[in-house]
Amino acid sequence: MANKNILLIEPGYKNKYPPLGLMKLAQYHGPQGKRDKVKFIKGEDPSVFGTAWDRIYITTLFSFEFPKIAQSVDFALKVANGHADKIFVGGIAASLMPEHFAAQPAWRGIRFIQGLLTGAPAEALKLDAFSEELYSDDLSGLAIEDLIPDYSILDQIDYKYPVRDAYFAYASRGCIRKCTFCGVPKLEGDQRDAESITCVVNGIEARYGTKKDLILMDNNIVASPKFHDIIAEIRDLGFVPDAKLSIGRVPVQRRVDFNQGVDARILCKDPVYLRELSRICIKPLRIAFDHLGLKGPYEKAVRYAHEFGLLSMSNYMLYNFHDTPTDLFERMRLNVQLNEDLGLRIWSFPMRYQPTSLPDRSHIGERWTRYQLRSMQLILQATHGVVSGDPTFFKRAFGDTAQEYLDLLVRPHHFIFNRDWYEYYEGRPRFEEFRTEFRKLGSGDSAELMELIGNVDPSAMKDQIKRATTARVRSIMRHYLPLPKEEEAEIWARQRVLKQQDHPSIVVPDEERVEDAGLNYEEPAATTPKGKSRRNPKPEPVHA
Amino acid sequence: MSTTIVPITLREPAWQRLADEIVIGKDILELLSSSMYVDPMTIYREYVQNAADSIDEARDTGLLSTGEPGRVDIDLDPGSRTVRVTDNGTGIPFEEFAGRLSAFGGSTKRGRGARGFRGVGRLAGIGYCQELLFRSRVNGETKVSELRWDCRKLKAILRSVDGHHDLRQAVGQIVEVRRIGGTDRPARFFEVEMRGIIRHRNDQLLNPTAVSSYLSQVAPVPFRENFPFREQILGHLRGQIELGNLEVLVSGNGGPVRRPHSEGVEVGVGVIDPFTELELLKLDAVDQGTAAVGWILHHGYTGALPASCHVRGLRVRCGNIQVGDDRMFEELFPETRFNAWSVGELHVVDPRIVPNGRRDHFEQSTHFDNLLTHLTPCAREIARRCRTSSIRRKWARDFELRETAVRDKLAILKQGAVSRRERTRIAESIQNDFVFLDDILRKGILPHEELAELQRRKDKLERDATRILSAPVKASVLSDLPPSKRIAYEQMIGLIYECSLSQANAKLLVDKILAKLR
C-alpha cells in the first residue's frame, strides 16, 4: 500500500528543536517504511492544496502557542476539504490540554493523540479497522515512538532550527518528580529507561550521516539507576571532553547537552554525579534553579561542578509561579556571586511560568503583578533573555539590591524601554523628575501606586490617575501614561543617531538559549489595539 | 460470633435471539417503491439498468453475438398513457419468473459484478402507474410469461387502516401471474409495461425529448460520432471498465440515444464555447489499484454552463450508469458554484465503492472517502481556471474600455476646439492611459495570442496618438473669430467636455456647434 500522500505540519511558531514526533512519523511512512510520499511544511503553505492528502499529521508544542496551532488545524481542515478523519493532531499541547482541543466544534472528527506513539501504530493512532482506514491493519509493526527520526524532511522547509546538527535521543523517559508546574508527569509519566542511545545514534548516522552534537532530552537523567552506564555509553560513542568532529577543514568541538537540565537535589548528594558528567563533553551543564528553597543543593552542585572543571553552565529559573520578585532576584544574584567566587561562566535564563493547560501567556503568579511581569519582559528583551553572571552587567540590568530590582519593576515602562535615553541622554530631566517624586512617596503612597498600576491595561492608566487619593500619587501617575506615538518614534530616531549601533554586549549561541522565553510576546489586543501595536525594533540593550 | 462477607458477583443477563416476533409489514412496499424513487425519471434508469445487466449476461453466455447490439426499446404511448421498456437480454424462464419478480431483495445478481444487486429496482414503477406488468420469454419457450402488479389495489391496501397486513399477504393480493400466447413477440425478451402513467408535473414521463435527454446523461449509451474527444476518452477507459453500451431507442425521438457531449457547450444563443483540452484522470484506490478513471473537458470558463447542455458538472458513473446528479461533487469545490462551470465524468473502477440503494449517492466508506480526497485537487484546479479566466476577462474588458477612451480623447484633440491648456491636460491623461494599458499587458495572465493582438492594438493606438499630438493644431472655425470670442467658445466647449458623461456624445454635440458656426 505504498505511494499514499502524507502531509506533516508543524505550526508556524518559532522553535528551537526539529519536530521529532513528525520525523518519526516520516520514518514510518517514508522510503524505509510504508514507502508513501511524505511532505513536511512549517506553517501554512498554500502549495499543498494541489495534492490529495491521504493523511495529515499536525504536531503541537507549547500550550500558549494555541492560536498558531489553531491556525494550522483550520488550515489542515481546509486542505482536507473538511475530511476531519484524515487529520491527526498530537504532541505536547494536544497532550496537555486535550479538552481544549476537543471542545472546538469545528474540529469534530479530528483525532487528538495524547502522549507518545507507543504500541502498535494502528492502536497508537486510533485507526479504525471497521472503516478500513489506511494502515488500520498495522497491529504488529514497531511503535512509531521507537523509530529513527527521519532527518531528511527538514530539507523540505526553509525554516532553520537553531539546533539541528545533532543526534536527538532519550536515555530515559518520564521523571521521578511530580512538580506541579511541569508538563512531564502528564506527558510521559513515571521515570523509566528508554531504548539504547547507541542504537538511535547509529541508526541516525547510518541513514542521515554523522551529527556534531548529542542532545539528550531526558527529564531527569541523574535519577536513572543506569546513570553510570549511560555516561559510559556516551563516552563509547566518542563524546568525551574536547571531542572534535572533522568533516570540513576545521575540526569542530562536539558537545553533549542534557537540554532539560539536571536535578540539583540529586547532584548535591554525591560528587560522583558531577565527576561522571565531567567525563563527557557536556556543554553547557544546565542545572534547574526553580525556587530559592533549592539554594543549598544548587550551590553545592555548582561547587562540585567547579571542582570537576565544568565551568560553563546554564540555568533555567522559573518565575511567576509561587515565587516573589525578590526570590527571583536572590537566585540571579547568587549566580553573580558564584561567578565571582569561582570564576565560572553561568548564564541564567529566567522562564516565566504558564500553566501547561492555558492556551495563552496570560497567567499572573499570585506574588507578581501584570505590571512587574511586563517590566521583567522589557528588561529581558534588552538583555536578549539572558542574565549574565558579570557583576557590572548584572547591576546595570537588574539593580544592586533586591529593593533596587523591585523599584526597577515599577518604573514607568518607557523609562525601562529607553533606559539609556532617560538615564544618560536627553530624557534625563524627566527621569530625574520621576525619581525625585518616587523617593518622596511614603509607604502608603507606594502601596497605592502598586495597586493602581499593578493589573490594569496601559490604556486604562489615564482613568487610574483619577482614583489616586493623594496629590503625590496623582502627580507621579502622570509618568505612567504611555508616551504619544510621535514622541516615542522621535526618541527612537534620536537614539539611533546618538548610538550608532546597538550591538549586544553578550553573545549567547542559539543552541544554549531557552527554547521560548516569550521575549517577543505581545500582550493581547486590549493593550495594543490592532494596527496601533508597537513595532519598535527592540528595547535598548543593556550595556555594562 | 463472626460474620463472613461473601462477595456477590452480578452476572449480566445473556442476549436471546428473536424468532417469531419479527414482523414485516405492508409499509415496506411503500418504502421500496415511491419512497425510494423520488424523481419519477429514475424509473427509466432502473429499468434500463436491469436491461443492461441482462444484456451483459446474454453476451457472456453467448445468447447475444458480438456484433449484435444490446437493445432497449422504450415505447411511449401518450394516448393510452402506457410506457413499455423492452430489452433483448436473457429474459427470465417461467419457472423463476413469479419468484424473482415478486421477491423483495435477495437478488441473485449480488456479487456477480452486475450494476444492480439489491433486488428492488423493478419496483420503481409502482409509485408512478396504475398497473405494472412484466413479460418475458426465454429461448425455447412457446408462451410468454406475464406478471401483474395492481398498483391501484396496492394503494388501497397501503391506505387502509383496518386490518393487519403483513408484506406477504399484501403482495398476495396485488400480484398475479399467467402465461399467454405470443406469436408476434420475439423469441427472447424481457419487458416492463406501465399502464396508466400518472400525470406528473409537465408529464415528462411520456415526453420523448425529456426521456431521451435524461437517458443521454444517465444510461450506458455511446458518445456521438462527432464528439472530438471520443477516441481519446474511450482509449483511456479501455482496460479499466467495460462500458456495456446499449442501443436505446425512445419512440418519437428519431435515432438511438447518444451521450450529450459535442465539440463545445452552447453558452448563449448560437455562442459555442469549444472544449480546448482533455484532462484524463486516474485516481488511486486506498490500497494498490485504481479507484476511478475519468476525464475533464476544459473550455473557456466564461461562466456557469446552462443546465440545458446536459453535460454540466463533475459527474460520476458506476457500471457506466450515472450515480446521483450533476451536483454530486459540488462540495469539493472551494466555491460550490464552480461545479456548474465544469464538464467531467468519473467511472468508478473499485468494486468497494458502492452506490446506495437510491443510487443518488454512494455508501459511506473509506473507499468512497478516498475517492473524494483524490478528486478534490481536480476540483480546486477547475476553480483556479474559473477564477483566472474571470480575471483575464476583466483585464481584457478594461483594456478595451481604456482603448476606447483614448480614441475618444484623440478625436477631441483632432477636432481642435479646446483651449491650449485643456489640450495639454488631455494629452497628459492619454499618457496615463498608456501606462494603464502597459500594466495590463505586463500582468502575464492573458493567453499568448490574445496578448499579441492587444499589443498590436496598443502599438497602433500609440502611433495614432503620436501623429495627432505632434500635428499642428488644425485650424478650426474658431481660429477665424476674434480672440476674446474664441477664448469664450473654447472655454464653453471645454466645459461641455468636462460636464459630459460620454466624451463621444460630447464630441458629437461640439461637432454640431462648430458646423453651425461655420
Side-chain angles (χ1 to χ4, degrees):
Chain A
M1 239 190 272
N3 263 333
K4 300 284 111 187
N5 292 318
I6 311 293
L7 179 62
L8 308 175
I9 304 179
E10 182 175 58
Y13 41 64
K14 270 194 197 165
N15 52 332
K16 185 171 165 185
Y17 302 105
L20 280 186
L22 290 186
M23 287 158 79
K24 289 175 180 177
L25 280 164
Q27 189 66 260
Y28 177 67
H29 285 285
Q32 274 133 333
K34 301 285 184 193
R35 284 178 288 117
D36 295 324
K37 289 173 275 183
V38 179
K39 166 92 180 159
F40 172 46
I41 61 169
K42 179 136 178 88
E44 291 84 54
D45 175 351
S47 74
V48 301
F49 277 109
T51 308
W53 298 104
D54 295 292
R55 187 160 293 166
I56 302 177
Y57 297 100
I58 305 169
T59 188
T60 62
L61 192 54
F62 299 117
S63 312
F64 53 71
E65 294 285 14
F66 190 76
K68 284 232 163 67
I69 295 170
Q71 219 171 301
S72 279
V73 176
D74 291 338
F75 173 76
L77 264 176
K78 231 191 228 173
V79 170
N81 217 25
H83 287 259
D85 58 315
K86 303 240 185 298
I87 304 174
F88 294 74
V89 179
I92 292 176
S95 303
L96 289 179
M97 41 177 205
E99 59 299 321
H100 204 84
F101 284 82
Q104 313 292 323
W107 297 353
R108 272 304 121 77
I110 293 179
R111 266 161 278 194
F112 299 104
I113 311 286
Q114 291 171 54
L116 308 173
L117 293 174
T118 46
E123 282 167 358
L125 292 169
K126 305 185 203 171
L127 300 179
D128 182 4
F130 181 74
S131 307
E132 298 172 69
E133 283 190 306
L134 181 65
Y135 304 136
S136 59
D137 55 351
D138 192 353
L139 292 163
S140 54
L142 200 59
I144 294 169
E145 169 60 24
D146 295 337
L147 298 176
I148 299 292
D150 182 345
Y151 282 67
S152 67
I153 61 164
L154 305 182
D155 300 333
Q156 294 185 24
I157 58 166
D158 294 331
Y159 182 81
K160 292 284 169 244
Y161 296 95
V163 181
R164 54 187 182 277
D165 186 8
Y167 303 103
F168 295 97
Y170 296 87
S172 66
R173 298 306 297 251
C175 185
I176 54 161
R177 315 248 177 236
K178 298 284 171 277
C179 307
T180 45
F181 56 78
C182 181
V184 168
K186 211 165 164 185
L187 289 167
E188 299 186 15
D190 292 334
Q191 182 143 351
R192 71 265 178 205
D193 292 314
E195 294 292 302
S196 132
I197 47 175
T198 309
C199 289
V200 178
V201 168
N202 290 343
I204 296 172
E205 185 166 10
R207 290 181 195 186
Y208 309 104
T210 307
K211 305 286 168 200
K212 181 168 82 71
D213 299 333
L214 175 61
I215 309 290
L216 290 163
M217 305 198 279
D218 296 63
N219 304 301
N220 200 339
I221 184 71
V222 285
S224 165
K226 286 191 176 171
F227 175 68
H228 293 274
D229 299 341
I230 292 164
I231 296 292
E233 206 177 341
I234 296 171
R235 283 180 63 84
D236 290 346
L237 285 166
F239 288 90
V240 292
D242 272 332
K244 289 198 171 59
L245 181 66
S246 309
I247 287 183
R249 275 183 301 170
V250 191
V252 282
Q253 198 83 45
R254 304 185 89 175
R255 60 183 198 98
V256 176
D257 186 0
F258 287 97
N259 71 346
Q260 303 299 301
V262 279
D263 191 342
R265 284 161 290 189
I266 298 176
L267 295 179
C268 71
K269 292 213 173 104
D270 191 333
V272 73
Y273 290 105
L274 279 153
R275 192 191 65 209
E276 284 293 294
L277 287 171
S278 72
R279 296 178 66 216
I280 56 174
C281 49
I282 189 163
K283 184 174 181 270
L285 171 66
R286 301 178 196 266
I287 307 178
F289 192 6
D290 292 322
H291 55 89
L292 204 54
L294 290 174
K295 187 179 172 189
Y298 173 74
E299 195 176 337
K300 202 162 180 189
V302 171
R303 287 182 188 276
Y304 282 152
H306 171 253
E307 203 173 301
F308 293 108
L310 293 169
L311 305 180
S312 167
M313 283 180 234
S314 271
N315 261 169
Y316 293 139
M317 282 191 189
L318 189 77
Y319 70 104
N320 191 36
F321 190 51
H322 297 318
D323 55 303
T324 60
T326 313
D327 176 319
L328 175 65
F329 181 82
E330 293 302 340
R331 280 183 281 156
M332 296 192 291
R333 188 85 189 90
L334 178 66
N335 272 350
V336 177
Q337 193 196 320
L338 286 169
N339 268 7
E340 275 187 309
D341 290 357
L342 304 172
L344 301 168
R345 194 228 65 182
I346 309 180
W347 278 330
S348 310
F349 298 92
M351 288 177 81
R352 177 161 151 190
Y353 169 72
Q354 303 295 337
T356 54
S357 56
L358 197 67
D360 54 41
R361 302 190 208 229
S362 61
H363 176 75
I364 297 165
E366 72 263 37
R367 294 156 100 175
W368 285 79
T369 64
R370 174 178 166 162
Y371 197 86
Q372 290 171 322
L373 289 173
R374 173 74 181 149
S375 303
M376 182 62 183
Q377 189 191 13
L378 289 176
I379 301 169
L380 286 175
Q381 277 179 354
T383 67
H384 304 271
V386 190
V387 180
S388 157
D390 177 82
T392 331
F393 183 93
F394 179 81
K395 194 175 154 188
R396 172 88 186 99
F398 298 94
D400 201 17
T401 61
Q403 190 53 52
E404 274 185 39
Y405 175 61
L406 290 177
D407 290 350
L408 184 60
L409 291 184
V410 295
R411 219 180 252 190
H413 284 155
H414 51 274
F415 290 161
I416 306 178
F417 201 81
N418 309 294
R419 240 165 128 178
D420 282 355
W421 175 261
Y422 284 106
E423 289 184 25
Y424 298 129
Y425 301 124
E426 293 170 45
R428 196 163 169 178
R430 264 175 89 169
F431 178 57
E432 285 304 331
E433 193 186 327
F434 165 77
R435 277 239 287 227
T436 315
E437 286 185 45
F438 191 75
R439 268 188 233 113
K440 284 183 190 158
L441 294 180
S443 63
D445 296 334
S446 296
E448 188 180 347
L449 177 65
M450 303 299 147
E451 180 68 32
L452 288 173
I453 61 169
N455 287 307
V456 297
D457 201 278
S459 60
M461 223 39 113
K462 208 169 174 181
D463 296 331
Q464 294 295 90
I465 298 183
K466 295 176 200 149
R467 295 181 52 204
T469 55
T470 67
R472 277 191 299 277
V473 175
R474 201 170 304 122
S475 169
I476 200 162
M477 281 291 287
R478 295 176 289 126
H479 297 283
Y480 287 87
L481 294 176
L483 283 187
K485 260 172 70 180
E486 303 71 38
E487 195 180 334
E488 208 167 27
E490 174 72 21
I491 292 175
W492 298 340
R494 299 282 295 279
Q495 273 187 139
R496 262 197 299 278
V497 181
L498 283 169
K499 310 182 296 155
Q500 287 303 314
Q501 215 191 346
D502 71 337
H503 59 88
S505 52
I506 43 167
V507 180
V508 181
D510 279 347
E511 54 197 26
E512 286 204 25
R513 283 179 188 285
V514 61
E515 173 136 29
D516 189 308
L519 294 185
N520 300 316
Y521 167 68
E522 288 287 330
E523 293 207 6
T527 52
T528 50
K530 215 176 174 184
K532 288 186 188 169
S533 65
R534 285 151 82 105
R535 281 282 168 256
N536 182 40
K538 265 171 211 154
E540 286 179 57
V542 175
H543 296 277
Chain B
M1 199 180 88
S2 67
T3 326
T4 318
I5 298 172
V6 182
I8 301 170
T9 11
L10 285 176
R11 276 186 59 195
E12 241 187 72
W15 295 100
Q16 310 244 318
R17 286 184 197 280
L18 299 186
D20 302 328
E21 299 89 333
I22 301 165
V23 175
I24 302 173
K26 61 181 181 180
D27 308 282
I28 284 289
L29 262 173
E30 193 176 21
L31 292 173
L32 292 178
S33 54
S34 47
S35 307
M36 281 274 282
Y37 305 101
V38 183
D39 172 7
M41 293 305 255
T42 53
I43 66 176
Y44 287 109
R45 186 193 65 207
E46 288 304 317
Y47 292 131
V48 169
Q49 174 176 299
N50 285 344
D53 282 339
S54 171
I55 286 166
D56 278 356
E57 198 186 336
R59 211 177 286 288
D60 290 346
T61 51
L63 289 171
L64 211 57
S65 67
T66 337
E68 199 183 345
R71 201 183 143 111
V72 179
D73 287 281
I74 298 176
D75 188 23
L76 310 177
D77 183 356
S80 63
R81 303 201 61 76
T82 299
V83 170
R84 255 188 309 276
V85 182
T86 315
D87 69 69
N88 61 349
T90 54
I92 301 177
F94 182 71
E95 312 82 72
E96 297 171 25
F97 191 72
R100 276 172 66 180
L101 291 172
S102 61
F104 293 88
S107 169
T108 54
K109 297 200 277 184
R110 192 181 275 269
R112 285 164 50 190
R115 296 168 181 86
F117 56 82
R118 291 188 176 89
V120 291
R122 106 190 81 80
L123 303 174
I126 288 181
Y128 296 101
C129 62
Q130 299 185 15
E131 247 182 299
L132 175 65
L133 291 102
F134 299 102
R135 289 188 200 97
S136 185
R137 173 150 75 186
V138 299
N139 283 345
E141 285 182 333
T142 47
K143 297 217 161 175
V144 168
S145 317
E146 190 176 50
L147 181 136
R148 182 174 75 153
W149 284 72
D150 188 336
C151 307
R152 298 171 68 118
K153 205 184 258 176
L154 168 69
K155 208 168 179 180
I157 291 176
L158 286 177
R159 279 188 185 165
S160 77
V161 284
D162 51 323
H164 168 77
H165 281 97
D166 77 357
L167 181 66
R168 189 184 293 269
Q169 275 175 328
V171 175
Q173 285 182 44
I174 53 176
V175 180
E176 293 160 305
V177 67
R178 64 178 180 177
R179 296 190 92 173
I180 54 172
T183 45
D184 55 335
R185 303 309 309 265
R188 192 189 75 244
F189 76 101
F190 185 88
E191 182 171 272
V192 183
E193 182 175 310
M194 288 169 281
R195 290 181 184 163
I197 291 278
I198 59 161
R199 286 184 173 76
H200 190 274
R201 287 215 300 252
N202 49 3
D203 218 8
Q204 50 178 332
L205 282 174
L206 285 169
N207 177 339
T209 316
V211 174
S212 298
S213 67
Y214 174 75
L215 287 174
S216 75
Q217 299 170 62
V218 169
V221 293
F223 284 123
R224 289 174 183 158
E225 288 290 335
N226 63 356
F227 174 45
F229 298 96
R230 182 170 173 262
E231 287 311 319
Q232 269 173 282
I233 291 175
L234 293 178
H236 179 61
L237 302 181
R238 203 166 292 132
Q240 297 284 353
I241 47 157
E242 285 297 327
L243 289 174
N245 279 335
L246 305 174
E247 285 296 284
V248 177
L249 285 119
V250 180
S251 67
N253 193 55
V257 178
R258 292 288 179 259
R259 302 298 316 280
H261 308 85
S262 60
E263 73 277 12
V265 187
E266 192 170 353
V267 287
V269 184
V271 184
I272 303 281
D273 186 3
F275 295 127
T276 49
E277 187 191 334
L278 172 71
E279 184 184 341
L280 298 170
L281 309 175
K282 194 166 170 220
L283 308 182
D284 289 341
V286 170
D287 38 27
Q288 278 101 340
T290 307
V293 286
W295 46 270
I296 291 170
L297 281 172
H298 295 299
H299 47 94
Y301 294 105
T302 52
L305 305 176
S308 57
C309 70
H310 301 141
V311 297
R312 172 174 95 171
L314 269 189
R315 302 173 183 227
V316 60
R317 300 169 84 79
C318 205
N320 200 15
I321 292 182
Q322 183 172 304
V323 179
D325 58 14
D326 58 337
R327 294 166 60 183
M328 177 69 135
F329 295 130
E330 215 175 48
E331 293 300 319
L332 301 189
F333 289 81
E335 287 172 61
T336 50
R337 65 194 176 101
F338 288 137
N339 176 55
W341 296 42
S342 6
V343 178
E345 222 162 62
L346 278 190
H347 287 266
V348 170
V349 177
D350 189 339
R352 294 167 301 184
I353 301 175
V354 185
N356 65 12
R358 286 164 67 142
R359 225 186 152 86
D360 59 359
H361 218 285
F362 286 87
E363 287 181 0
Q364 292 307 313
S365 70
T366 186
H367 305 287
F368 177 62
D369 225 33
N370 170 70
L371 179 78
L372 295 181
T373 303
H374 286 256
L375 192 58
T376 302
C378 306
R380 286 192 181 132
E381 168 60 17
I382 292 175
R384 191 193 62 77
R385 285 179 186 246
C386 296
R387 288 199 187 107
T388 314
S389 137
S390 130
I391 297 169
R392 194 182 283 168
R393 281 197 311 281
K394 178 193 172 294
W395 287 121
R397 203 167 45 238
D398 283 358
F399 186 96
E400 242 162 65
L401 289 174
R402 200 53 78 100
E403 185 187 21
T404 315
V406 174
R407 292 241 171 258
D408 288 349
K409 287 173 195 168
L410 289 176
I412 295 169
L413 293 181
K414 215 169 159 187
Q415 194 181 43
V418 289
S419 67
R420 188 181 295 269
R421 221 167 107 192
E422 180 67 3
R423 199 178 158 77
T424 316
R425 195 191 62 75
I426 294 176
E428 276 168 9
S429 95
I430 289 177
Q431 288 313 317
N432 287 338
D433 292 334
F434 278 117
V435 171
F436 181 82
L437 294 179
D438 276 334
D439 271 355
I440 293 179
L441 295 178
R442 269 202 302 269
K443 293 271 182 223
I445 196 171
L446 296 165
H448 194 67
E449 306 86 62
E450 196 176 348
L451 192 68
E453 162 65 14
L454 293 184
Q455 184 69 50
R456 196 188 56 71
R457 272 160 54 185
K458 199 214 96 185
D459 292 346
K460 164 106 178 44
L461 196 63
E462 226 157 13
R463 283 197 301 276
D464 291 351
T466 318
R467 188 166 40 76
I468 292 168
L469 285 168
S470 57
V473 180
K474 195 181 144 201
S476 76
V477 277
L478 299 183
S479 55
D480 300 337
L481 298 174
S484 60
K485 213 167 179 187
R486 180 175 55 84
I487 289 167
Y489 270 118
E490 279 178 352
Q491 264 178 354
M492 193 266 289
I493 289 170
L495 279 172
I496 291 176
Y497 281 122
E498 207 178 311
C499 302
S500 299
L501 288 176
S502 155
Q503 297 293 286
N505 288 347
K507 183 179 169 285
L508 285 178
L509 179 64
V510 174
D511 276 342
K512 277 182 191 164
I513 294 170
L514 293 178
K516 288 267 181 210
L517 287 175
R518 198 167 277 139

